Amino acid sequence: QVQLVESGGGLVQAGGSLRLSCAASGIIFRIFTMGWYRQAPGKQRELVATITSGSSTNYADSVKGRFTISRDNSKNTVYLQMNSLKPEDTAVYYCNANILRAGGRMDYWGKGTLVTVSS
């Protein structure tokens, strides 16, 4: 069974920084694209950033220049460095990974970590 576990969320003042981590565990053959999504209260879940197995990245316009996604394939872990945080970045942040295992290839989600940015 594959699990994604996020960490690093918390309360920070506007202008501050946080670093999120997400580690995949289980019997994994290969991890393809990994990413971060977020869902603010009363809103739909939205893409924040993705990174392919070849380290190509994609960002939402709202976070470009402030957030950086990276991954450590040796640790099956993806990171999200968030700088210059704004109150509108407040949300539950979810990790996503497209994973190949014995049963096939599919998307997995973490349970989320709350990021709160105070003004």
Side-chain angles (χ1 to χ4, degrees):
Q1 185 173 353
V2 171
Q3 283 190 317
L4 299 181
V5 179
E6 302 104 333
S7 61
L11 173 64
V12 64
Q13 288 188 332
S17 298
L18 282 174
R19 188 189 193 213
L20 306 183
S21 300
C22 171
S25 63
I27 301 175
I28 296 170
F29 291 170
R30 183 176 176 182
I31 302 179
F32 296 92
T33 298
M34 305 183 81
W36 290 95
Y37 293 73
R38 67 186 181 187
Q39 187 166 17
K43 294 188 177 181
Q44 290 187 330
R45 190 173 297 188
E46 64 177 3
L47 179 146
V48 176
T50 60
I51 183 168
T52 68
S53 57
S55 296
S56 294
T57 58
N58 178 55
Y59 294 92
D61 287 343
S62 59
V63 307
K64 281 181 181 176
R66 300 188 298 122
F67 292 8
T68 302
I69 190 170
S70 60
R71 63 191 286 171
D72 184 335
N73 292 327
S74 68
K75 297 180 179 179
N76 289 341
T77 298
V78 62
Y79 305 95
L80 186 68
Q81 178 67 43
M82 304 185 294
N83 299 328
S84 302
L85 282 160
K86 304 176 181 179
E88 51 263 44
D89 294 318
T90 295
V92 177
Y93 283 70
Y94 297 92
C95 173
N96 170 271
N98 186 255
I99 295 174
L100 175 65
R101 53 189 295 264
R105 178 176 172 177
M106 63 181 289
D107 279 345
Y108 292 85
W109 292 89
K111 293 183 178 180
T113 185
L114 177 61
V115 171
T116 303
V117 183
S118 63
S119 57

